[in-house]
Amino acid sequence: MASDVDTAPLVGRAELVQTVRSALLGDVAQGQTAAVFLTGESGVGKTRLLGEIGARLRDQGALVLTGSCLDIGDASPLHPLLQALRRFDADLSAAQARTSSAVRGLLQMFADETGGPDGAGALLERVSRGLHLIAEGRPLVLILDDLQWVDRSTRQLLLYLLAGLGDLQLSVLAAVRAESLQGAHPLRRVLTELRRLRTVRVLDLSPLDRAGTEQLAAAVVGRTLAPDAAEQVWQRSGGNPFVIEELARDLRDGRDGLSETLREIFLDRVDALPQHAHAVVHAVAAGVEPVQHWLLAEVLRLPEDELIDAARAAVAHRLLVGADDGYRLRHRLVAEVLSHELLPAERSGLHRRYAEALTAAPGELHQARLAYHWRLAGEPARALPAAVAAAQEAERLQGYAEAHRHWTAALHLAGDSGSVEVDRIELLGNAAEAAHHCGEHARALALLEELAALRGGEPSCALHIRRARYLAAAGRSALAEEEYERALEAADCSPRDRAAAAARLAELLLHLGRYADAGARAREALALAENAEGSATEVVLASSALGFSDAFLEDPDAGLAVMRDALDTAERAGQPEDVACAYLHLAELLTGPLNILEEGVVVARRGAERVAELGLGRTWGTRLLAIAINGLFRVGQWAEAEKVVAVALRHRPSGADAVELLLARCRLSVGYGDIEAAGRDLDAVATLLAGGGARHVIPLLTLRSGLAMWEGRHDVARLAVQRGLTESRSDDVMILSALVWHGLRAEAEAHASRAVAVDPTAVRRLRDVADRMARKSAGAARPVRSVVEGFLALCAAEVSRLDGSDPELWATSAAEWDRRNHPYPAAYSRLRQAEALLARRSRVATAGKLLREAYRVAQGLGAVPLTSEIRELAGRARVPLAERDADGARPVASAEPVDDELAALTAREREVLALVAEGLTNKEIGQRLFISERTIGVHVSHIFDKLQVRTRVQASAIMLRNSRG
């Protein structure tokens, strides 16, 4: 029978195909990312759609890479990407040598990859850079089938690229088997977070309706079905295209008497095959797809001509699909049906032949596949070394989830291997550590208990420390504390182990907010470290805890001294990560609890330069620059903060480092009123946090609330704050106080706009939280209390807006923030104070002065939304915003000489104006200054307003006139 592979029409999907094409290419701006995830049951047509859409995207000029995830449960890290690259390279012609070189260079990078200090983030960046070279400026589309089996490393790569961190115009199209996403499947949370992004769509692929079912069946049969036959196909298929096609072919070919179950349909189809084709289908079902032709030949040991005829017959009968890289079952349901049809000896024999063929083949062994086949062949002794090698390979590529599965398989194999001598203690230790690194904390603890039982006797000090680390990571802080105490009491504890236990215990207590206990343990750790060689890391950890403890407990100077000593110790020891950690904690202390912002910024920037010299600029350096950006934002040096953002972005950070930087940049965008850029950054952070990251939740939700308020979506702002109070257990009174202020401000804005009703329950809860923060901060250091008191002043003033705003409360708030040198909240407070005075129709002159002061600060910062609100209030009250001389007669632009027309511009605005005068477009200016085009548009608009011009030519003329002067 002639093959009719893929001749059946694509029914009922035309609109979906067009939607996906537009989402992946048509609606994607240059340099942006997009993704579409197709979910649906087995047989609903996901793979067929991927092929159809991929072909059309190629016709549109996109570079399309296609790969599939393996279903053996222990695939190598980044397998689908490696597979896609190899397929693509095989299809390249001799005239495409440059592209082929880029592809092979990226493949070689994987082969040469070794773990480094920057870890998985560095690997993701190198992958992104390699893809950029391959794309050569074309849109790149990555198509992934069977994403439900995706390995953790590929999930991380997708999150990284879709967050816009890869400097790539990338689109992802992936298919997910819906029935596989049950329970705690890791992809479920990722898809939940991704559904929130504007550029990501998750489309559920439904079965065909009755009309579509009849249309598809009629196309396969070649004629319109009789009513009874059409009803039978509809009832038995449920609209599943794969089953519809199978049933329709039975009708077409006159096969009657089939069972009502799909299993029997498949078995009848297999039984109808010629003998050798029957063997081919069973062999492919037992293999790991794709099964290469040479491998199938070795397993079946058929002459070449007979093998080709057998494979052709299986393809013609719609059971196999042949491609350049090998054979696949047309649907995995075939494997599920056939899995029970072979005798155990037949199955083990197939797997043995696979393993022997893979072992004998020249070139690099695929250890994961080899372990899989030896295990199912009943040869645990031969599967064990392959599983260990696969685990080590996964760890080398930072694939700890895959490594954990391989180590676990190795443990099972070691138990089944009989006479093979293995170090089970070493296997348990490796498996536990891999489980810990990939977040399987309960499993890590269970493996550690088994290791302890195997050793016998009293647990060692090192084992107590390890158990405590795992318990702390699992959130079981009380038990972790007990384990650290046992480690310190253990007789076999070396001086360095004691120092490590005390230092980590101090860090744990600090995290729990027990600052006095943390300080005591930190001092103990430092004393122990004096008698232990090579304990610089412990000194840095202990000094961090001690510094913060002292800073919170009324001794900021002592805290600073300890942190500076820690930095000196790290520099003397020469360990790069210790130096970076010391700089980071010192900068955090200065810009956080101590609120010494200017010095903190200097330390952060100096530290970033130092760690870059040590090769850690991409990770630790980025985090230090993020601290500097936040400090510059608070003191009102927004233009300088933008320059630091540009420097940090050149590192191309990933993971938590990228989150810190994106949140810092988002604060600037919210302040500037760049709604699109801020939303994009928040979406990117949400993407990166899809797999966790609780310590960033409150800052993320605070920014989302602030952004929603500037957009007038006060109900959205309220929900963001409520989520923050519900989901986070943070004890950091500084970031909590900012969140509570945003919550009360959202209620006040809702009251003022009358568009959304005030929620009395939310107000009551927020006031209770504010009271708790006031009590909790009472025992903190003066600098900490100072910042919290500033936010509490804002909270009290916002509450007053609900029943008649109190100008005195706003005056108190403005004074509080002036004293801390935070110009933005001070300007905001003056706006509200003026608003309250004008509402009471009293002290209009004072209100005018307050508005002019707030306006001057807001313009200097470039805070467009705040500036607009000040203008709106001044316009309604007919208050002039231009300064007047002592006689009240003549408006004066500023305190600068009147002939300096650029005096009102910020440093960043002058930079932008100079480039405008050069004739550059907003896009070109953004590329020059490493700022988004949208942000440049905000700056240009602000420049026009300050210079009172309407065109770029007029603004350029002023720039040139002042430059000549």
Side-chain angles (χ1 to χ4, degrees), residues 762-779:
V763 173
R764 185 166 54 254
R765 182 185 183 190
L766 289 163
R767 295 182 71 173
D768 289 344
V769 175
D771 291 340
R772 286 202 303 271
M773 285 191 304
R775 293 192 298 270
K776 191 168 185 177
S777 64

Side-chain angles (χ1 to χ4, degrees), residues 75-105:
S76 299
L78 300 176
H79 168 80
L81 177 61
L82 289 168
Q83 182 190 64
L85 290 169
R86 291 179 182 129
R87 287 181 182 174
F88 182 65
D89 185 45
D91 291 337
L92 292 173
S93 65
Q96 296 170 297
R98 179 177 175 181
T99 303
S100 181
S101 176
V103 173
R104 292 174 184 176

Side-chain angles (χ1 to χ4, degrees), residues 712-844:
R713 300 189 299 160
H714 309 308
D715 53 339
V716 175
R718 171 193 294 155
L719 290 174
V721 173
Q722 290 176 349
R723 180 183 165 195
L725 294 175
T726 301
E727 294 186 8
S728 176
R729 299 178 180 178
S730 174
D731 291 326
D732 190 327
V733 291
M734 297 174 70
I735 63 172
L736 273 172
S737 59
L739 180 71
V740 173
W741 167 47
H742 277 69
L744 289 169
R745 180 182 161 202
E747 298 300 333
E749 296 288 354
H751 175 73
S753 69
R754 302 185 185 281
V756 179
V758 174
D759 185 344
T761 303
V763 173
R764 185 166 54 254
R765 182 185 183 190
L766 289 163
R767 295 182 71 173
D768 289 344
V769 175
D771 291 340
R772 286 202 303 271
M773 285 191 304
R775 293 192 298 270
K776 191 168 185 177
S777 64
R782 178 59 204 166
V784 177
R785 293 201 308 273
S786 178
V787 173
V788 174
E789 286 168 0
F791 281 114
L792 292 177
L794 281 167
C795 290
E798 296 287 4
V799 170
S800 77
R801 291 177 68 194
L802 298 174
D803 54 5
S805 192
D806 186 343
E808 295 305 317
L809 290 176
W810 287 112
T812 300
S813 177
E816 290 280 353
W817 290 107
D818 280 339
R819 200 159 47 243
R820 293 162 185 77
N821 191 26
H822 288 222
Y824 184 82
Y828 172 80
S829 298
R830 287 189 172 87
L831 162 66
R832 295 298 173 219
Q833 183 185 358
E835 183 180 56
L837 289 171
L838 292 170
R840 298 185 177 195
R841 303 182 184 279
S842 65
R843 300 166 59 190
V844 175

Side-chain angles (χ1 to χ4, degrees), residues 625 629 639-652 661 665 668 908 926-931:
L625 290 176
I629 294 162
E640 185 62 23
E642 279 193 281
K643 294 179 181 178
V644 180
V645 169
V647 172
L649 285 173
R650 294 187 187 120
H651 290 312
R652 311 305 304 168
L661 179 59
R665 185 172 68 173
L668 284 168
R908 176 61 95 186
Q927 292 171 343
R928 181 81 64 88
L929 299 179
F930 297 95
I931 305 173

Side-chain angles (χ1 to χ4, degrees), residues 206-220:
S206 301
L208 298 178
D209 57 16
R210 175 69 179 262
T213 298
E214 292 188 16
Q215 182 184 350
L216 178 57
V220 173

Side-chain angles (χ1 to χ4, degrees), residues 150-494:
V150 67
D151 59 274
R152 178 171 178 162
S153 298
T154 304
R155 289 201 307 272
Q156 290 175 332
L157 177 65
L158 290 177
L159 291 172
Y160 175 84
L161 294 175
L162 291 178
L165 300 175
D167 194 23
L168 204 56
Q169 182 175 350
L170 173 83
S171 298
V172 174
L173 174 61
V176 185
R177 186 184 291 186
E179 60 264 35
S180 297
L181 301 183
Q182 302 299 321
H185 196 290
L187 198 60
R188 290 184 68 187
R189 182 173 181 181
V190 173
L191 289 177
T192 298
E193 290 293 338
L194 289 175
R195 283 178 186 268
R196 302 177 183 179
L197 306 186
R198 291 189 295 267
T199 57
V200 173
R201 302 187 68 176
V202 180
L203 303 178
D204 295 317
L205 198 57
S206 301
L208 298 178
D209 57 16
R210 175 69 179 262
T213 298
E214 292 188 16
Q215 182 184 350
L216 178 57
V220 173
V221 174
R223 65 179 186 277
T224 302
L225 271 63
D228 289 346
E231 176 65 20
Q232 186 182 45
V233 170
W234 167 246
Q235 291 296 333
R236 294 172 67 190
S237 71
N240 184 292
F242 176 70
V243 181
I244 293 168
E245 291 183 33
E246 294 300 312
L247 293 172
R249 287 189 180 86
D250 289 337
L251 288 172
R252 181 192 65 189
D253 298 333
R255 285 190 289 270
D256 297 322
L258 292 176
S259 167
E260 294 292 325
T261 67
L262 187 60
R263 170 184 169 80
E264 291 172 331
I265 293 174
F266 283 130
L267 289 177
D268 279 351
R269 177 70 69 202
V270 173
D271 289 342
L273 290 171
Q275 180 182 357
H276 292 326
H278 190 280
V280 165
V281 172
H282 275 285
V284 173
V288 178
E289 297 180 348
V291 178
Q292 297 92 332
H293 184 81
W294 70 265
L295 182 57
L296 191 61
E298 292 291 327
V299 170
L300 293 177
R301 300 167 186 169
L302 289 172
E304 182 69 7
D305 289 346
E306 292 184 20
L307 177 61
I308 289 175
D309 288 342
R312 182 180 287 116
V315 171
H317 281 73
R318 305 287 294 176
L319 288 167
L320 288 189
V321 175
D324 291 341
D325 59 347
Y327 300 102
R328 290 177 175 78
L329 294 172
R330 187 171 181 268
H331 200 286
R332 291 303 299 174
L333 287 175
V334 177
E336 296 172 17
V337 171
L338 296 181
S339 63
H340 303 290
E341 296 305 308
L342 292 178
L343 294 172
E346 290 178 296
R347 282 197 301 272
S348 63
L350 269 176
H351 287 294
R352 176 184 296 277
R353 292 199 292 275
Y354 267 116
E356 290 172 345
L358 288 168
T359 302
E364 182 181 358
L365 284 175
H366 193 301
Q367 300 290 355
R369 290 190 181 198
L370 193 61
Y372 172 76
H373 286 301
W374 277 129
R375 176 171 58 84
L376 293 180
E379 294 278 2
R382 304 182 75 173
L384 178 58
V388 170
Q392 292 168 341
E393 179 187 0
E395 287 181 341
R396 182 171 59 85
L397 292 173
Q398 311 295 328
Y400 288 108
E402 293 76 31
H404 168 47
R405 287 199 294 271
H406 288 307
W407 286 122
T408 301
L411 282 168
H412 291 310
L413 292 167
D416 297 337
S417 60
S419 61
V420 176
E421 293 185 8
V422 294
D423 188 343
R424 188 168 182 83
I425 290 178
E426 182 180 357
L427 288 178
L428 284 167
N430 287 327
E433 196 67 11
H436 172 64
H437 281 303
C438 72
E440 296 287 345
H441 304 304
R443 178 60 178 160
L445 286 163
L447 289 166
L448 201 61
E449 292 308 312
E450 187 178 346
L451 187 153
L454 196 61
R455 282 179 170 173
E458 288 295 321
S460 67
C461 176
L463 191 64
H464 282 304
I465 294 174
R466 198 170 182 182
R467 184 183 289 127
R469 284 173 48 225
Y470 294 178
L471 286 166
R476 298 162 69 180
S477 302
L479 293 176
E481 182 180 354
E482 291 176 7
E483 283 299 315
Y484 281 130
E485 296 284 3
R486 292 192 184 103
L488 289 167
E489 295 169 0
D492 67 332
C493 209
S494 67

Side-chain angles (χ1 to χ4, degrees), residues 22-197:
S22 297
L24 295 179
L25 283 188
D27 300 335
V28 182
Q30 182 67 33
Q32 298 299 307
T33 62
V36 174
F37 295 88
L38 298 175
T39 67
E41 64 178 347
S42 301
V44 79
K46 301 181 294 297
T47 301
R48 174 71 187 279
L49 272 172
L50 295 187
E52 184 78 20
I53 296 169
R56 299 193 187 189
L57 294 175
R58 285 190 189 93
D59 293 340
Q60 289 181 250
L63 189 154
V64 179
L65 300 176
T66 60
S68 300
C69 304
L70 295 180
D71 66 336
I72 60 176
D74 51 6
S76 299
L78 300 176
H79 168 80
L81 177 61
L82 289 168
Q83 182 190 64
L85 290 169
R86 291 179 182 129
R87 287 181 182 174
F88 182 65
D89 185 45
D91 291 337
L92 292 173
S93 65
Q96 296 170 297
R98 179 177 175 181
T99 303
S100 181
S101 176
V103 173
R104 292 174 184 176
L106 184 52
L107 289 170
Q108 186 61 43
M109 183 275 290
F110 283 111
D112 297 340
E113 177 64 19
T114 58
D118 278 358
L123 174 63
L124 297 180
E125 166 56 14
R126 287 194 290 275
V127 173
S128 172
R129 192 161 52 240
L131 291 175
H132 183 80
L133 292 174
I134 294 169
E136 297 181 301
R138 291 173 289 176
L140 177 64
V141 180
L142 181 60
I143 296 181
L144 302 175
D145 201 3
D146 289 325
L147 198 68
Q148 70 275 1
W149 295 317
V150 67
D151 59 274
R152 178 171 178 162
S153 298
T154 304
R155 289 201 307 272
Q156 290 175 332
L157 177 65
L158 290 177
L159 291 172
Y160 175 84
L161 294 175
L162 291 178
L165 300 175
D167 194 23
L168 204 56
Q169 182 175 350
L170 173 83
S171 298
V172 174
L173 174 61
V176 185
R177 186 184 291 186
E179 60 264 35
S180 297
L181 301 183
Q182 302 299 321
H185 196 290
L187 198 60
R188 290 184 68 187
R189 182 173 181 181
V190 173
L191 289 177
T192 298
E193 290 293 338
L194 289 175
R195 283 178 186 268
R196 302 177 183 179
L197 306 186

Side-chain angles (χ1 to χ4, degrees), residues 658-717:
V659 168
E660 300 279 5
L661 179 59
L662 291 172
L663 287 173
R665 185 172 68 173
C666 184
R667 288 185 183 92
L668 284 168
S669 297
V670 172
Y672 282 136
D674 191 346
I675 304 299
E676 182 178 338
R680 191 163 55 243
D681 281 345
L682 290 175
D683 287 346
V685 169
T687 302
L688 289 169
L689 295 182
R695 67 184 293 259
H696 299 108
V697 167
I698 291 181
L700 168 67
L701 294 174
T702 301
L703 286 168
R704 200 175 284 287
S705 173
L707 180 63
M709 278 187 276
W710 285 134
E711 294 177 298
R713 300 189 299 160
H714 309 308
D715 53 339
V716 175

